Amino acid sequence: LARPLVLWRTPTRPTRTMPLTCAPIAQPGASAIALGAALAAATFLVPLPQGWKVWRTRSSRGVSLLTLHLTVLFGASSIATMIGFKQPALAACAHGPGCLASLLDALQQLAAAASWTGVLAVTLRTPESRSASSLLAAGLTLCAVAAAVGTSAALASAAPCSQASLLYAQALGWVGSAIAACQFAPQLLATWRQRGSGALSYATYLLQTAGSLLVVLNQAVFQQDSWPVWLPVLVSAAMQACVLAVGIFFDRPCCRPAAAARPTSRSLLPEFNARAEDGGGATAGRRQPLLQGALPAEQAADGPPEEGGEPQPLGAAVEEGRGGSG
């Protein structure tokens, strides 16, 4: 007997969502290990030019503290997320260092968080950022970092790969994505208000923008990840590029504010001569020339003019001195 031909069927909906699971222990090859180690080292080195410039100039003018706080919080959320999902790889570290090959991405986030925390500490030592409110905000940021990482580690150690641990790690992952999408908005606003880069490092933002674009290319094209994974990183890369472009635009020579003109000896001559000719009361005869070295040697040796004498304008004294030397 032939079965009836079904032309259309109502799609069924799953009654339960797929449970979260821990990431399996990866076994990367030699090339992947070399690439991961290079990325971890580069991630640690990228913020160093920013910290060195702030340390060398002793100034944090134009640097947004809010962006630095958000960057540190983003690194902490990434580390806490990986603690929850990579519990099997972390447990394998108890049997030897062979687990490090599967934890290179976690080491990359740890290196970035440590480096940006150092930049934040250096920035807080500058006069522009050394205030009670800034130190309080830094303390709250460190407390939030400790709470996020400590809670994730406690849940993962108490019940490895449990749904509570994985849900907490997933929530921190979404928080990290939200931070990544907006962490450079305060810096962009600060650079626009500053009308220049100030103490920002072009090297740090150029390397970081290029690295973020490479991460987006890897996640979107090669890994075929869904858009919630790579879109926040793309938005972050676009903001970093805007910060770099705005700083370069305002740092052009035509856009720099003109320095105030400093008075020179030539500009002071007419004013001094006018005051000397006007007199000035009983003390007019005791006025000294503005530049004693501009007087002829004979007149300089005679000392100041006598009481009631008429002071000689400085311009005339300079002309007589030039004539006598000729």
Side-chain angles (χ1 to χ4, degrees), residues 82 106 111 115 122 128 133 167 172 175 207 219 236 280 291 293 302:
M82 290 187 178
S115 186
V122 171
E128 295 87 351
S133 58
L167 286 174
L172 287 181
V175 171
L207 293 175
Q219 292 177 342
S236 176
L291 298 175
D302 294 340

Side-chain angles (χ1 to χ4, degrees), residues 37-169:
L39 288 176
T43 305
F44 178 79
L45 295 176
V46 163
L48 294 186
Q50 179 63 74
W52 170 249
K53 186 173 183 180
V54 173
W55 177 270
R56 179 175 54 86
T57 59
R58 298 293 191 274
S59 173
S60 59
R61 182 175 56 89
V63 177
S64 173
L65 285 177
L66 182 55
T67 291
L68 294 180
H69 288 301
L70 292 176
T71 304
V72 173
L73 291 175
F74 169 74
S77 64
S78 300
I79 294 172
T81 300
M82 290 187 178
I83 289 176
F85 282 103
K86 288 184 172 289
Q87 184 61 30
L90 292 174
C93 292
H95 304 286
C99 64
L100 295 178
S102 59
L103 294 175
L104 289 176
D105 50 352
L107 293 178
Q108 180 180 352
Q109 297 296 333
L110 181 62
S115 186
W116 280 110
T117 302
V119 173
L120 177 60
V122 171
T123 305
L124 290 174
R125 294 174 58 90
T126 59
E128 295 87 351
S129 304
R130 190 184 305 169
S131 62
S133 58
S134 299
L135 295 178
L136 178 61
L140 293 177
T141 298
L142 294 180
C143 290
V145 169
V149 176
T151 303
S152 181
L155 291 175
S157 61
C161 298
S162 63
Q163 288 300 302
S165 175
L166 295 178
L167 286 174
Y168 178 78

Side-chain angles (χ1 to χ4, degrees), residues 43 47 62-78 109 112-113 116-117 141 175-191 200 205 208-209 211-212 215 231-241 243:
T43 305
V63 177
S64 173
L65 285 177
L66 182 55
T67 291
L68 294 180
H69 288 301
L70 292 176
T71 304
V72 173
L73 291 175
F74 169 74
S77 64
S78 300
Q109 297 296 333
W116 280 110
T117 302
T141 298
V175 171
S177 299
I179 293 176
C182 64
Q183 64 178 341
F184 290 99
Q187 183 58 67
L188 180 60
L189 181 60
T191 305
L200 287 182
Y205 273 82
Q208 196 162 250
T209 302
S212 299
V215 169
L231 183 59
V233 184
L234 179 61
V235 174
S236 176
M239 286 190 178
Q240 294 174 60
V243 170

